[in-house]
Amino acid sequence: VTLGTTAKSIVKVPSGAGKVNVYISNNDGSNDVFIGASTVTSTGSSQGFRIVKSTNVALQVDGGDTIYGISASGTPTVSVLWFGN
């Protein structure tokens, strides 16, 4: 998924999926990305969880959840893998 400076849905877990494991990898070597709700930003009080350039994060989320991503600059790409019930 290619991100920019506007929040974009990067994964939507189907309702009824139960708890699922989600892995998000920031493939960009220059830009950090931030994840969170649809209101996520890269700064300020709505700043999301930072995924530093060239790193990844593992999360467990509920079915029906949507994770959004954004970057402060550039157009970094993220890879997403999710699995569960």
Side-chain angles (χ1 to χ4, degrees):
V1 179
T2 301
L3 299 178
T5 56
T6 302
K8 181 177 185 178
S9 172
I10 59 174
V11 63
K12 181 176 173 115
V13 179
S15 296
K19 292 217 178 276
V20 298
N21 296 305
V22 176
Y23 297 90
I24 303 171
S25 180
N26 179 356
N27 302 320
D28 196 272
S30 301
N31 296 295
D32 296 345
V33 297
F34 301 84
I35 59 172
S38 61
T39 56
V40 67
T41 63
S42 59
T43 61
S45 62
S46 296
Q47 182 176 355
F49 180 83
R50 180 187 308 255
I51 304 176
V52 177
K53 59 187 176 188
S54 301
T55 64
N56 56 58
V57 65
L59 308 166
Q60 188 175 67
V61 300
D62 292 319
D65 286 349
T66 302
I67 300 171
Y68 292 80
I70 193 168
S71 175
S73 63
T75 53
T77 60
V78 295
S79 297
V80 178
L81 170 68
W82 69 269
F83 61 91
N85 304 3

